[in-house]
């Protein structure tokens, strides 16, 4: 028998116990030593039904808690199956620490040019390097103790993101002196320090304020990098009295009910928000990338505006797609606090006419997300669910596809009451169910609704088993339009046809849900009683919504179009 108190993997168990206390995993041979040690030391092991399920639950944990979570998978296919989750965490700046099993070090040092040096060995360090903040492969217990703390700090500092630690089998099985555990200290001295950007001078802030005072049509644009600063941003917006727009990941920073909030921008954003961005002459960008999905391909008009871009990631500032007037490499919180302080007693111009115009556009520029075919209108269904949850503490989690954009359009998000979780930068189908399970497990007081599409839902459908295993009360909506809608729409607009996506037949989701112990309801046409029965069911429940086959995402910003000239669906065309 192995002396568990002396295994090197106790170092990892110690770190987990001192921080989050749980490890998400899908087991396998080369990660078994870590899992045994974690169980022996009281770490809560959450076992998914596939590696992606574990990775996405770790992402949910990090999003909800605001600090690093932990996931562990075995070598080979276990490690490669986790790569999608790491990419998601990397592009959406989510701090997770991933442990992968690996063959022994004597195999790793043998014949470096050999294609495979052991069963299920893959060069995971090389594979994961471009989509992580750091990768480590400790060869001794001493190295492991050193990289653990380093990984924990790196994952949360500056722009957060994933870190991977590859664990050779023999390193996991090595016994250690108990004194090595003294290195695993989690206190204020080593906890992640938020990066301080370049020194923000008073003169620079005053120059920005001076430019603002000359503006006729100012706007604030919030992104994922500003989510934690929602309180400050609401104060700033009210102090200035100017409209606020957001990216998809910035949804909820301003309440949907706030008259200052116009909506979210981009490819499938709100037309009034896109119009506001196109017609503003001064734009304060807080933690958003201004990528092509947000601005469209036609950016000439944006280069003529005064743009103040605040981002902790220097690369986002240095390699932007178009010219910005002020590049501020600083935390959003630091910059906004200084801006509030410096303008508190200043005379701010009256932008009420501009705000009234923007609010008028918000009223006039309607969405057009319904077709003419038989079935349920997505806008009607989701708006009704939103109305039922107005007074509830709620989290909406989506997959990727048309349903994702419909959910963003028709739920009234507001941090901290109604939260929005979605895969934005990487855009991964299969994200919804495991993330929703992760959120539901951690926050039992919050109603969690998974809004998924028929295609996206089947990517990780096996994780339904965890709902009853973990005694959750998750509510799931499957928006089934019998097509891969967003890709089908792109194909038809671009090529006139939609091969492989126009007809996408699904299994009987009700039978599947019941087989996993869930309640199940079918909505063939809009019926408020069925929706209420699903929502108020005492058990976890699936609502299978037969959406109109031709229900579009409309309007949409297509290539070659300006922000204020979006494409609208015409059923006759």
């Amino acid at each position: 028998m192995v002396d568990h108190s002396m295994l090197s993997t106790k170092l990892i168990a110690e770190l987990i116990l001192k921080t989050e206390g749980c490890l998400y995993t899908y087991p396998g041979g080369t990660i078994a030593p870590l899992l045994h040690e974690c169980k022996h030391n009281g770490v809560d092991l959450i076992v998914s039904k596939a590696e992606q399920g574990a990775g996405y639950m770790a992402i949910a944990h990090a999003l909800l808690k605001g600090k690093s979570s932990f996931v562990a998978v075995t070598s080979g296919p276990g490690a490669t199956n986790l790569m999608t989750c790491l990419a998601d965490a990397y592009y959406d700046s989510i701090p997770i620490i991933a442990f992968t099993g690996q063959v022994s070090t004597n195999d790793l040092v043998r014949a470096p040019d050999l294609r495979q040096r052991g069963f299920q060995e893959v060069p995971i360090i090389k594979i994961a390097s471009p989509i992580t903040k750091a990768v480590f492969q400790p060869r001794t217990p001493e190295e492991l103790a050193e990289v653990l703390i380093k990984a924990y700090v790196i994952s949360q500092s500056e722009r957060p993101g994933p870190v991977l630690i590859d664990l050779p089998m023999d390193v996991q099985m090595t016994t250690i002196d108990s004194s090595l555990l003294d290195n695993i200290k989690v206190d204020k001295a080593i906890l992640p320090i938020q990066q301080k950007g370049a020194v923000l001078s008073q003169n620079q802030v005053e120059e920005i304020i001076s430019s603002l005072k000359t503006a006729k049509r100012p706007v604030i644009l919030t992104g994922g990098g500003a989510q934690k600063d929602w309180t400050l941003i609401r104060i700033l917006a009210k102090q200035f009295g100017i409209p606020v727009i957001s990216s998809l990941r910035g949804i909820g920073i301003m309440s949907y009910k706030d008259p200052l909030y116009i909506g979210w921008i981009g490819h499938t954003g709100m037309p009034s928000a896109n119009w506001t961005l196109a017609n503003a002459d001064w734009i304060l960008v807080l933690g958003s990338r201004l990528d092509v999905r947000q601005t469209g391909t036609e950016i000439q008009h944006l280069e003529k505006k005064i743009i103040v871009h605040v981002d902790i990631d220097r690369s986002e500032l240095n390699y932007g797609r178009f010219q910005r007037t002020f590049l501020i490499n600083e935390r959003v919180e630091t910059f906004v606090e200084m801006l509030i302080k410096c303008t508190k007693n200043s005379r701010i111009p009256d932008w009420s006419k501009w705000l009234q115009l923007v609010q008028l556009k918000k009223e006039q520029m309607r969405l057009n997300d319904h077709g003419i075919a038989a079935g349920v209108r997505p806008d009607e269904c989701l708006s009704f669910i939103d109305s039922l949850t107005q007074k509830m503490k709620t989290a909406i989690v989506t997959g990727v596809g048309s349903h994702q954009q419909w959910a963003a359009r028709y739920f009234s998000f507001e941090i901290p009451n109604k939260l929005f979780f979605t895969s934005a930068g990487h855009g991964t189908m299969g994200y919804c169910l495991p993330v929703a399970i992760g959120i539901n497990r951690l926050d039992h007081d919050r109603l969690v609704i998974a809004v998924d599409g028929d295609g996206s839902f089947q990517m990780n459908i096996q994780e339904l088993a965890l709902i009853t295993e973990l005694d959750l009360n998750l509510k799931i909506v499957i928006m089934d339009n019998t097509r891969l809608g967003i890709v089908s729409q792109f194909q038809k607009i671009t090529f006139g046809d939609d091969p492989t996506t126009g007809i996408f037949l699904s299994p009987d989701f009700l039978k599947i849900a019941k087989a996993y112990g869930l309640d199940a309801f079918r909505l063939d046409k809009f019926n408020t009683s069925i929706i209420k029965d699903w929502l108020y069911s005492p058990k976890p429940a699936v609502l299978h919504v037969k959406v109109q086959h031709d229900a579009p995402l409309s309007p949409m910003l297509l290539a070659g179009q300006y922000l204020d000239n979006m494409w609208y669906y015409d059923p006759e065309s």
Side-chain angles (χ1 to χ4, degrees):
M1 293 290 290
V2 175
D3 181 0
H4 283 279
S5 65
M6 300 299 285
L7 274 182
S8 69
T9 45
K10 185 174 175 63
L11 296 165
I12 299 173
E14 193 80 2
L15 175 63
I16 295 173
L17 286 169
K18 287 182 176 180
T19 53
E20 291 309 291
C22 73
L23 175 67
Y24 299 93
T25 187
Y26 188 81
T30 60
I31 203 65
L34 172 60
L35 302 184
H36 280 272
E37 193 67 23
C38 284
K39 181 180 180 182
H40 181 79
N41 284 276
V43 172
D44 191 8
L45 295 175
I46 312 299
V47 184
S48 64
K49 304 306 174 186
E51 288 86 4
Q52 269 199 21
Y56 279 119
M57 281 190 280
I59 282 176
H61 191 121
L63 283 168
L64 202 60
K65 297 291 187 179
K67 52 185 176 180
S68 296
S69 59
F70 303 90
V71 59
V73 298
T74 195
S75 58
T80 54
N81 282 346
L82 190 65
M83 291 303 100
T84 298
C85 303
L86 292 186
D88 242 305
Y90 184 68
Y91 293 120
D92 281 353
S93 305
I94 301 166
I96 63 173
I97 298 175
F99 300 102
T100 51
Q102 188 54 278
V103 300
S104 296
T105 54
N106 59 350
D107 286 320
L108 291 174
V109 298
R110 180 178 62 87
D113 294 331
L114 195 62
R115 183 178 63 178
Q116 191 177 45
R117 294 165 291 179
F119 178 62
Q120 292 187 331
E121 185 251 339
V122 295
I124 203 65
I125 292 295
K126 291 182 179 179
I127 293 171
S129 291
I131 53 171
T132 54
K133 290 188 69 180
V135 290
F136 301 100
Q137 192 181 70
R139 302 297 179 91
T140 66
E142 289 74 20
E143 285 184 27
L144 175 59
E146 180 183 344
V147 304
L148 278 174
I149 297 303
K150 190 179 294 185
Y152 191 71
V153 173
I154 290 172
S155 67
Q156 296 179 87
S157 300
E158 305 178 10
R159 183 173 184 161
V163 175
L164 182 137
I165 302 177
D166 196 37
L167 299 170
M169 188 71 165
D170 57 323
V171 174
Q172 294 183 64
M173 296 294 289
T174 302
T175 56
I176 59 170
D177 188 283
S178 60
S179 63
L180 201 56
L181 295 173
D182 295 337
N183 294 334
I184 308 302
K185 296 177 180 177
V186 181
D187 54 31
K188 292 180 181 178
I190 62 167
L191 281 175
I193 304 300
Q194 292 290 344
Q195 176 183 347
K196 293 181 179 179
V199 176
L200 188 62
S201 71
Q202 184 78 17
N203 288 341
Q204 191 174 28
V205 174
E206 288 177 358
E207 189 178 354
I208 291 169
I209 294 170
S210 178
S211 72
L212 169 62
K213 289 181 177 180
T214 66
K216 303 296 183 186
R217 300 179 302 279
V219 67
I220 298 171
L221 167 59
T222 63
Q227 284 180 335
K228 292 181 180 179
D229 308 308
W230 56 273
T231 304
L232 283 172
I233 291 170
R234 291 177 190 178
I235 293 170
L236 180 69
K238 187 175 181 180
Q239 188 165 305
F240 285 178
I242 63 177
V244 181
I245 54 180
S246 74
S247 69
L248 185 68
R249 288 206 68 229
I251 286 175
I253 292 175
M254 294 290 289
S255 169
Y256 260 44
K257 302 170 189 173
D258 194 316
L260 293 175
Y261 183 63
I262 309 306
W264 54 284
I265 62 167
H267 172 58
T268 51
M270 307 296 275
S272 54
N274 280 347
W275 183 92
T276 302
L277 181 59
N279 288 275
D281 61 1
W282 188 94
I283 305 167
L284 173 58
V285 183
L286 300 174
S288 187
R289 295 188 295 163
L290 292 174
D291 62 15
V292 69
R293 202 72 167 176
Q294 295 176 354
T295 65
T297 58
E298 306 309 303
I299 56 176
Q300 305 91 322
H301 61 302
L302 293 173
E303 295 180 337
K304 300 174 183 178
K305 304 176 186 298
I306 295 175
I307 299 178
V308 183
H309 194 173
V310 183
D311 205 295
I312 198 62
D313 189 338
R314 168 58 70 177
S315 295
E316 295 290 354
L317 301 175
N318 289 346
Y319 303 106
R321 296 165 54 240
F322 49 87
Q323 185 66 40
R324 272 71 54 81
T325 317
F326 298 97
L327 301 178
I328 311 298
N329 183 211
E330 185 54 89
R331 295 166 58 205
V332 169
E333 178 186 17
T334 302
F335 178 81
V336 173
E337 281 179 341
M338 185 171 285
L339 202 56
I340 290 172
K341 180 180 178 181
C342 292
T343 57
K344 191 171 184 180
N345 298 315
S346 297
R347 288 193 62 183
I348 299 295
D350 181 4
W351 291 297
S352 57
K353 289 185 178 180
W354 161 239
L355 181 59
Q356 289 168 9
L357 175 60
V358 169
Q359 290 169 336
L360 179 63
K361 292 294 180 181
K362 185 178 179 179
E363 288 295 318
Q364 293 176 337
M365 302 181 83
R366 295 295 184 178
L367 299 170
N368 182 32
D369 287 319
H370 56 272
I372 57 176
V376 179
R377 287 174 45 162
D379 54 336
E380 192 171 34
C381 176
L382 296 179
S383 293
F384 182 68
I385 295 172
D386 181 58
S387 71
L388 294 177
T389 59
Q390 283 296 316
K391 296 181 180 180
M392 300 180 187
K393 191 174 152 188
T394 313
I396 306 298
V397 187
T398 79
V400 169
S402 297
H403 67 277
Q404 175 189 32
Q405 317 302 321
W406 290 330
R409 288 177 171 185
Y410 296 110
F411 281 97
S412 50
F413 295 103
E414 177 189 13
I415 299 173
N417 298 319
K418 187 167 285 187
L419 306 179
F420 182 51
F421 298 93
T422 197
S423 173
H426 199 43
T428 307
M429 295 174 70
Y431 173 100
C432 179
L433 184 57
V435 170
I437 290 171
I439 298 294
N440 201 191
R441 174 186 168 269
L442 291 168
D443 194 348
H444 285 287
D445 295 331
R446 187 179 295 274
L447 170 67
V448 181
I449 301 177
V451 180
D452 219 342
D454 50 313
S456 185
F457 184 67
Q458 293 182 76
M459 291 285 189
N460 276 311
I461 195 170
Q462 72 285 341
E463 302 303 335
L464 283 171
L466 284 178
I467 296 173
T468 51
E469 284 182 23
L470 297 174
D471 193 25
L472 305 179
N473 193 19
L474 182 65
K475 305 301 181 187
I476 301 169
V477 186
I478 304 172
M479 305 292 284
D480 182 3
N481 54 5
T482 62
R483 64 194 284 220
L484 297 177
I486 198 167
V487 180
S488 168
Q489 181 169 307
F490 163 75
Q491 288 179 313
K492 293 189 81 170
I493 292 171
T494 308
F495 307 108
D497 194 12
D498 54 355
T500 72
T501 62
I503 299 296
F504 193 81
L505 300 180
S506 300
D508 189 330
F509 289 123
L510 271 64
K511 288 183 179 178
I512 292 173
K514 289 176 180 177
Y516 280 108
L518 281 67
D519 266 357
F521 302 84
R522 184 181 175 96
L523 197 69
D524 289 307
K525 58 183 180 179
F526 185 67
N527 184 308
T528 58
S529 296
I530 293 175
I531 296 174
K532 288 179 179 179
D533 288 344
W534 158 78
L535 185 66
Y536 302 136
S537 169
K539 295 175 60 178
V542 167
L543 179 66
H544 183 189
V545 183
K546 295 297 292 183
V547 176
Q548 293 173 313
H549 180 73
D550 64 339
L553 267 172
S554 173
M556 178 181 279
L557 183 64
L558 305 181
Q561 291 182 329
Y562 287 93
L563 281 160
D564 53 354
N565 185 30
M566 297 173 75
W567 168 88
Y568 272 82
Y569 170 69
D570 180 0
E572 303 300 324
S573 63

